[in-house]
Each structure stands twice: as C-alpha cells, then as structure tokens.
Amino acid sequence: MNVFVLFPLFDEKIHRKKDPWQIPLHLFRLGHEVKILAYQKNNSDPITSRVDGIEIVRVKPNLLHLLFYLIKNSRNIDCIISYFGNWITLLSGISFKLKKRKGVFVIKMDTDGSYAIKEKNLFRLFYKYFTHLLFPFFVDLIIVESPQARNRILKRYWWLENKIIVLPNGVDTDTYKELEKSIKRPKRSSKKRIILFVGDVIPRKGVDLLIKAFSQLEKEYPNYIVKIVGDVKADPTYKKFLDKLIQSERISKKVIFLGRIGEKELIKEFHKAEIFCLPSRSEGFSIVLIEAMYFGKAIVASNVGASQFVLERGKAGLIFEKDDLNDLIFKLRLLMKSDRLRKFLGKKAHERCIKYFNWSRIVEKLDSYIRKIRQSYEVR
C-alpha cells in the first residue's frame, strides 16, 4: 500500500518522537511504501530526501503547489493521512477523492479534537458549513487522541460517529530497548531522591508551581532534590523569575537546571528519578508523560490535556487540579513519603504504557482500519 502523510510543517528534528514521524515510520515497518509530503523550509531544502527508508517530499510553501503535486500523483496513492482540519486538509481531501474514489483519506486530529475554525467572521462561518456538508463525503476515517476529544467532535458533528476512532499517541518501545542496551543503568541513591521535570522552561509548563510546592516540602523530606530538563532559553524572562523564586525560597542547591540533554542522558535521568512531575497549565497529548510511564516512574500531573485519559483517571499516576498549589503539595507528599505507593504506581504506569501507548500496537490498529476501508471499496 502506498501511503502519503500530509504534514506541511514537518521537521525531522522537532517531530522525531511525535506522531507525524512515528506513524509513517511504523507503517513503513509494516511493509508499506510511505512518503511524507511537506513544505520546503528554505530554498536550500532538497526536493526529496530519505530518512530511515521513508521518502520526504518537499514542495514550495504554497497550497497550490501542494495540491498540484497531490493531483498529479493521486493515481499512485492508496491512502493519505492528513493532520488537523484546515483548508489544506479540506482541499487536499477533495482533490484526492475526486481523482481516486477508492483512495482512503484519513484525518489525524490534535488532542482537543478541534478541526473547524471558530466562526468569527463570514469567511469562517462559510468554512464551518462547507465542512459540515463535505466532510461526510470525502473523509473515510478521523483519528482523535482521547475519548474526550471524540466526544467533543460528536457534539457538533454527530453524523460522523462511525468514522471517528480513538488512537492515542505513544512511544517507540523498540527504539528505547535498543538505546538501553548501550546505556549502563545508573543506580538510584536513597540519600538523594529526585523529582524530575522534562519540558521547555516556559510559564505554560508550570515549573514555578513545582518549585513552590517543593519549597514547602524540602525540609520535611531533605533527601529530595528537583531536576529540570529542558530548554532554559525558551523564555529568558520566565527563567529569571524562577531563579529569583529559588533564591527567595533558599533552595538553590536543591533545584538543578540541566538544560537540553541528549536521548541517552535523558534515559539515565528517568532511571535516576523517583517521581516525575508534569505541572502544566495547558497541554496537548504529552509525549514526555508517556515516556515517564514507560520508565516506570511514579507520576503526578495536572488535569489538563489528555492526562486524565493517559493516567486512567488516577489509577496509573496521581492527578492534581491545574494551578492548585495545595493539591500539588498534597499529591507530591503522598509519593515522597511512600516507597510502596511509588513502586505500585510506577508498575501500573509501565504496564499501561506497554498495553495502550506503544506505537507498534497503535499503528497496527490504524493499518487494520485502513485495510478494512480499502476492502469495503473493493466489494462495491
């Protein structure tokens, strides 16, 4: 099967762990011919390149160039997977289905399940009703990342119920297994227990909330420290605010910023940590949350994005109310004082990750859905 993944802003470095790369990679591993269609980032970008067996085709950053390429090559395409619901998705789907009626058109949605632009003017109002009329005719499958996202879509587009499936994001467990073979697993120290955060150091990620909570607990649990992994230059003003906060709370020796680190170093930090904390104020479908689950960490995360679904509403990790400092302190204290609870939740998290958030299994399900749709076209 020839599969095209349509993601105009695709970047090999940014999306390496995310679905725009992982879905094509695992479809390729299942034996399909896979291409990613994207815009050129600059004039020096090659028109075509190949990474891990997948061909990346880049066209000039213009919708007409993209549509022309799809129309020209549609007869050689069996399935298109397009990301998000916008004019590119809409026109690409129509163009493809007009040229190849038996081709399969799939839309991959983001966590919030939104694929119609909010109606703020006549143009967007037109777009809304245009999509209402056309989506049922040219869309074969809509993928959302959580049951909550599916419910949000169905409130507005109830007639698409039979076309919407839930397939979450995941981690590439095969890659992690290979990386771990080349890494000497560090031993945890009972004298220095670690609470780990991974992500850009920006207000949306709520690092200040973690620091404030830790400052209330560090005297009670003096053997704990906080390690923060992520881009400290993403928001210099926020970083200065955090530095002042740390100094005012007199915990400078117990909060360590590691900055950006490589994949192997990140794996080592996961192994060293006792607790993983994700105190985000807003979040999509957090990949790092699933990574923490894979490494069997006891997790405490805010109730934003897909965390309720990912952590099975508190069964595979503790969940606190967004921006509620007292709730975060309470949940962290539960984990910091109980080895037994940390081990129990870490085991639950790992088991759930392997069962539900493993890219190999996720893409096998997607492949099965696409094959069934193709078979249904063949018998018509």
Side-chain angles (χ1 to χ4, degrees), residues 198-306:
V198 179
D200 287 341
V201 182
I202 54 178
R204 180 174 66 83
K205 293 291 185 177
V207 182
D208 57 294
L209 203 66
L210 171 58
I211 291 170
K212 289 174 183 176
F214 178 71
S215 70
Q216 300 296 311
L217 295 165
E218 60 94 15
K219 289 181 181 178
E220 191 176 343
Y221 301 97
N223 58 335
Y224 271 90
I225 64 170
V226 172
K227 283 190 176 183
I228 297 168
V229 174
D231 188 0
V232 295
K233 297 179 181 179
D235 189 330
T237 303
Y238 183 61
K239 177 59 168 58
K240 288 180 182 178
F241 164 73
L242 294 179
D243 289 338
K244 288 181 180 178
L245 177 62
I246 291 166
Q247 288 175 5
S248 67
E249 297 292 345
R250 298 180 180 179
I251 51 174
S252 299
K253 293 182 179 180
K254 291 194 172 185
V255 179
I256 302 167
F257 289 91
L258 297 179
R260 284 185 171 181
I261 59 177
E263 196 66 36
K264 290 184 179 181
E265 290 303 312
L266 179 59
I267 291 172
K268 288 180 182 178
E269 292 302 329
F270 270 122
H271 281 308
K272 291 176 188 176
E274 293 283 340
I275 298 168
F276 177 79
C277 183
L278 189 68
S280 302
R281 294 184 169 94
S282 68
E283 196 69 63
F285 197 109
S286 173
I287 299 299
V288 73
L289 188 61
I290 311 171
E291 289 176 329
M293 294 173 74
Y294 174 79
F295 290 107
K297 299 298 102 180
I299 296 169
V300 56
S302 57
N303 61 341
V304 297

Side-chain angles (χ1 to χ4, degrees), residues 355-367:
K355 187 174 181 179
Y356 295 106
F357 306 116
N358 179 338
W359 271 124
S360 295
R361 292 187 179 184
I362 293 165
V363 176
E364 282 173 5
K365 288 181 181 178
L366 173 60
D367 182 49

Side-chain angles (χ1 to χ4, degrees), residues 8-275:
L9 301 180
F10 178 76
D11 186 302
E12 295 92 319
K13 293 180 180 178
I14 295 174
H15 296 111
R16 194 75 179 177
K17 290 184 179 182
K18 299 180 180 180
D19 45 318
W21 174 252
Q22 290 295 328
I23 287 177
L25 176 64
H26 284 82
L27 284 171
F28 175 76
R29 288 177 179 175
L30 290 173
H32 300 300
E33 288 291 326
V34 183
K35 292 183 180 180
I36 297 174
L37 182 58
Y39 286 150
Q40 284 181 300
K41 291 176 284 185
N42 51 61
N43 292 331
S44 63
D45 266 355
I47 296 173
T48 61
S49 59
R50 193 171 285 273
V51 180
D52 294 344
I54 297 171
E55 187 176 350
I56 301 171
V57 179
R58 294 193 179 274
V59 298
K60 291 182 179 179
N62 182 294
L63 178 58
L64 291 178
H65 282 93
L66 188 145
L67 292 176
F68 177 76
Y69 184 92
L70 284 178
I71 293 169
K72 182 181 177 182
N73 293 277
S74 59
R75 294 188 184 278
N76 300 319
I77 303 172
D78 298 309
C79 173
I80 289 180
I81 301 173
S82 183
Y83 280 74
F84 316 122
N86 49 31
W87 279 105
I88 295 175
T89 297
L90 183 69
L91 295 176
S92 299
I94 293 171
S95 303
F96 174 59
K97 294 294 278 189
L98 286 175
K99 290 286 288 185
K100 192 163 186 175
R101 298 291 296 173
K102 293 184 178 181
V104 179
F105 190 76
V106 180
I107 298 178
K108 172 73 166 66
M109 303 310 306
D110 213 342
T111 309
D112 62 0
S114 62
Y115 72 90
I117 300 173
K118 292 181 180 179
E119 306 81 44
K120 292 183 179 178
N121 54 39
L122 288 176
F123 173 79
R124 292 178 177 180
L125 189 65
F126 168 74
Y127 176 85
K128 171 188 174 183
Y129 290 105
F130 196 45
T131 55
H132 275 222
L133 290 171
L134 291 177
F135 263 52
F137 295 101
F138 76 87
V139 175
D140 294 295
L141 192 66
I142 297 172
I143 303 169
V144 294
E145 297 172 349
S146 70
Q148 293 86 350
R150 186 176 189 273
N151 292 337
R152 277 193 288 270
I153 289 181
L154 288 177
K155 283 181 180 179
R156 294 182 65 184
Y157 305 95
W158 51 268
W159 57 87
L160 294 175
E161 183 172 8
N162 294 330
K163 293 188 175 185
I164 301 176
I165 62 168
V166 177
L167 287 179
N169 288 333
V171 291
D172 188 351
T173 56
D174 295 333
T175 297
Y176 278 133
K177 286 175 184 176
E178 288 301 314
L179 283 171
E180 287 192 277
K181 288 178 183 178
S182 62
I183 296 172
K184 185 177 180 181
R185 183 177 293 199
K187 293 181 180 179
R188 292 189 205 170
S189 170
S190 59
K191 295 180 180 179
K192 187 186 289 185
R193 298 187 184 276
I194 297 168
I195 300 171
L196 181 66
F197 165 87
V198 179
D200 287 341
V201 182
I202 54 178
R204 180 174 66 83
K205 293 291 185 177
V207 182
D208 57 294
L209 203 66
L210 171 58
I211 291 170
K212 289 174 183 176
F214 178 71
S215 70
Q216 300 296 311
L217 295 165
E218 60 94 15
K219 289 181 181 178
E220 191 176 343
Y221 301 97
N223 58 335
Y224 271 90
I225 64 170
V226 172
K227 283 190 176 183
I228 297 168
V229 174
D231 188 0
V232 295
K233 297 179 181 179
D235 189 330
T237 303
Y238 183 61
K239 177 59 168 58
K240 288 180 182 178
F241 164 73
L242 294 179
D243 289 338
K244 288 181 180 178
L245 177 62
I246 291 166
Q247 288 175 5
S248 67
E249 297 292 345
R250 298 180 180 179
I251 51 174
S252 299
K253 293 182 179 180
K254 291 194 172 185
V255 179
I256 302 167
F257 289 91
L258 297 179
R260 284 185 171 181
I261 59 177
E263 196 66 36
K264 290 184 179 181
E265 290 303 312
L266 179 59
I267 291 172
K268 288 180 182 178
E269 292 302 329
F270 270 122
H271 281 308
K272 291 176 188 176
E274 293 283 340
I275 298 168

Side-chain angles (χ1 to χ4, degrees), residues 331-345:
K331 299 294 169 52
L332 277 174
R333 181 180 279 115
L334 288 177
L335 294 179
M336 292 167 82
K337 73 179 182 181
S338 175
D339 288 346
R340 187 175 179 181
L341 180 60
R342 290 197 304 273
K343 289 176 182 177
F344 173 79
L345 288 176

